[in-house]
Amino acid sequence: MAPSQNTNSLVKEGIVGFALGAVGGCALGATVSPVNKAMTAIISGPILKPFTDGVRTVGPLGLGTLVGATALTTSMTTAIAGVTVAASVALLLIRLKKSRTRAALPGFKWVAAGVAAALSTTSCGAVLGVIIETLVLRSGVVALLWAIGIFTVLKTFIHVLVQLTCSTCECSGILQHAAEAQKHEEMKLGALEAKHRDRVTVEIEHRITACESKIEFEGEAGLEYRIAWKAQQQEWKEAEKLQKEALELAVQQRTIQERLTKVVTKYVEFLGFSGIPMTVTAAVTAGFGIFGFGDYRFVFVVLLALVICMAFMLMRSMHLNFWMFIACLGMFATFATAVLTVHAGQEAMDMSLRMRKAGEVLSKENITAWMDHRASLEAIAAGFFMSKMCQVGLGASVGGPLDPKVLDKVIVGASVSTVVLLSIIEYLSLVLGLGGVSGALLGAVGAAGVSLGAAAAVAVQWSSWAGTISTTAGMLIGALAIGQWDIVNTGLQVLIAYMFAMINPY
């Protein structure tokens, strides 16, 4: 009988795990076509010309670092906006004194927080996308350098402001908690005194009654007395139980508020400091190109040395945490985008030289234009790819550490949010423009990352390998079936979701 029950349990885990993994995978696959469509529109539209001109201004490495830093900064900012808005909405709803509403809809605040996160992430991405498109079309790629620098200073100011605000709220919360604790102690002491007085009164009455008539006490009056005494004891127990439940509820709400406040401060810290290494890398590399020192080998050596030094400084920091880890990853992703940009230009030059040796007439201007064109295409494609990986990872870092009891609801809710966001973006594509659509799609990718991260957490928490393998298979099959049959990219995104889902950023 035991082997049969074990087999049934394995089959059930496999079916449920595959279904949940498929839902998360389908959410990721649904974002593939819209993102590819937006990238195709960029590389085939008028916005490509400023990038091609930017290669001549800042060099291929400078263009790669600028595009990489801009894409990753936008992706990180949209993810942080969603998380902080969700935590702020949850805090606001918890602190509301409408207890009847909370009792009627206990999960309303979390649903509202999820909806607010999805909308804020999408809106933030759309706004940043429109700003980037306007800057590039009006002032060229070099304007991105100034925009990134100003935004970095602004994020640091926001971090300081939020730190001061949270410190003030924490102090007021501590004082309020102390007042509530003192009030509760006073109520408890009052209840104990009343209980003691009632007990003394009952004992006195009992002695008087016993002295007056022992026989009467042992008869019907004694029975009534015992019944009244038990009823009074039951009332005392119920009062103590209610007081205990009220205290536990207050402690639970206090703990949730502290955690949400910590989430806000941590993510604003992430917003303020994670983009600094990328900004420094882009500024140094683009600066060499602007001042005429954009030679590939020389700038590449400087860029490589700069990235290694900053990574070493971050890793050696005494306060190394999740945010510095993300900063290092973003910096290396920016470096990878720059290398791919240069590699595309070198491939174009090699192809041109082979064509000239084969007898085709190609001028030096045509070769240079072809190199710049290929470098621009690769920079945009690499920027899209890196930003998508970043959104999937950050989304998984949100969905993975959640309470295991609600992971199935998170998977389904985030998947539904992804589909709804994609529909809204498609409907508003003419209003948002190309840049707005590209930025808004990051919000949908982030929602898909939340679903994928929750599915990865479910896969790890199964009691057997059957549940883990079936959930992973569901993630892969769902993403491949709904999206494109690109096994390498899909497998890489699932791997990133697993890695970030296992990291607790708090």
Side-chain angles (χ1 to χ4, degrees), residues 127-300:
V127 171
L128 292 177
V130 170
I131 293 175
I132 291 171
E133 181 184 11
T134 304
L135 288 175
V136 170
L137 290 176
R138 290 185 179 180
S139 306
V141 177
V142 182
L144 294 178
L145 180 61
W146 298 103
I148 294 174
I150 294 172
F151 191 48
T152 301
V153 177
L154 180 62
K155 289 189 297 182
T156 307
F157 174 74
I158 293 174
H159 168 68
V160 174
L161 183 63
V162 171
Q163 285 284 350
L164 294 175
T165 304
C166 289
S167 298
T168 304
C169 293
E170 185 177 359
C171 291
S172 62
I174 291 173
L175 294 176
Q176 183 180 2
H177 180 66
E180 292 177 353
Q182 183 178 1
K183 183 178 179 182
H184 176 73
E185 290 295 331
E186 292 177 354
M187 292 175 60
K188 187 175 181 181
L189 290 175
L192 290 175
E193 291 177 358
K195 181 178 178 181
H196 180 67
R197 286 196 301 268
D198 292 338
R199 183 178 299 173
V200 171
T201 303
V202 170
E203 290 178 355
I204 293 173
E205 291 178 354
H206 170 65
R207 291 177 181 177
I208 293 173
T209 306
C211 292
E212 289 179 351
S213 177
K214 181 178 180 181
I215 300 175
E216 184 181 357
F217 175 75
E218 293 176 351
E220 295 180 358
L223 179 61
E224 293 177 357
Y225 167 75
R226 287 191 294 270
I227 294 173
W229 173 255
K230 290 181 180 179
Q232 193 172 13
Q233 283 184 331
Q234 187 67 26
E235 291 179 0
W236 289 339
K237 290 180 180 179
E238 290 179 359
E240 291 178 354
K241 183 179 178 181
L242 291 176
Q243 290 179 357
K244 185 177 180 181
E245 290 178 354
L247 180 61
E248 291 178 353
L249 180 61
V251 172
Q252 183 181 7
Q253 289 184 351
R254 176 66 182 173
T255 303
I256 294 175
Q257 291 180 9
E258 291 176 352
R259 289 180 179 176
L260 291 175
T261 304
K262 186 177 180 181
V263 168
V264 173
T265 55
K266 286 293 184 181
Y267 272 87
V268 173
E269 179 185 358
F270 178 25
L271 175 68
F273 298 111
S274 62
I276 293 178
M278 294 185 295
T279 304
V280 173
T281 302
V284 172
T285 312
F288 277 108
I290 293 173
F291 289 104
F293 299 99
D295 182 70
Y296 161 62
R297 294 179 181 177
F298 172 72
V299 179
F300 179 79

Side-chain angles (χ1 to χ4, degrees), residues 254-468:
R254 176 66 182 173
T255 303
I256 294 175
Q257 291 180 9
E258 291 176 352
R259 289 180 179 176
L260 291 175
T261 304
K262 186 177 180 181
V263 168
V264 173
T265 55
K266 286 293 184 181
Y267 272 87
V268 173
E269 179 185 358
F270 178 25
L271 175 68
F273 298 111
S274 62
I276 293 178
M278 294 185 295
T279 304
V280 173
T281 302
V284 172
T285 312
F288 277 108
I290 293 173
F291 289 104
F293 299 99
D295 182 70
Y296 161 62
R297 294 179 181 177
F298 172 72
V299 179
F300 179 79
V301 172
V302 174
L303 177 61
L304 181 60
L306 181 65
V307 169
I308 292 176
C309 289
M310 284 195 292
F312 179 77
M313 291 173 60
L314 289 174
M315 290 299 179
R316 292 284 294 177
S317 175
M318 295 179 62
H319 303 286
L320 180 65
N321 51 25
F322 176 76
W323 317 123
M324 292 185 179
F325 173 68
I326 296 297
C328 289
L329 288 183
M331 184 174 57
F332 279 106
T334 303
F335 176 74
T337 305
V339 173
L340 291 172
T341 304
V342 174
H343 181 66
Q346 293 295 318
E347 282 186 343
M349 185 180 65
D350 295 339
M351 182 66 70
S352 302
L353 292 177
R354 286 196 295 269
M355 293 173 65
R356 292 183 66 175
K357 290 180 180 179
E360 296 187 19
V361 179
L362 292 174
S363 64
K364 185 177 180 181
E365 290 77 11
N366 290 336
I367 295 175
T368 303
W370 194 12
M371 290 175 59
D372 295 343
H373 181 74
R374 288 291 302 275
S376 302
L377 293 181
E378 189 63 33
I380 295 173
F384 264 86
F385 179 77
M386 296 298 179
S387 61
K388 186 174 182 178
M389 294 297 108
C390 180
Q391 280 293 96
V392 170
L394 292 177
S397 69
V398 174
L402 293 176
D403 189 354
K405 297 180 182 178
V406 299
L407 285 178
D408 53 346
K409 299 180 181 63
V410 172
I411 293 172
V412 176
S415 300
V416 173
S417 300
T418 303
V419 176
V420 172
L421 289 176
L422 291 175
S423 302
I424 294 175
I425 294 169
E426 181 69 22
Y427 180 75
L428 298 176
S429 58
L430 296 178
V431 178
L432 295 176
L434 188 56
V437 169
S438 301
L441 285 174
L442 294 178
V445 176
V450 173
S451 180
L452 205 65
V458 168
V460 174
Q461 292 170 4
W462 286 120
S463 60
S464 64
W465 282 103
T468 303

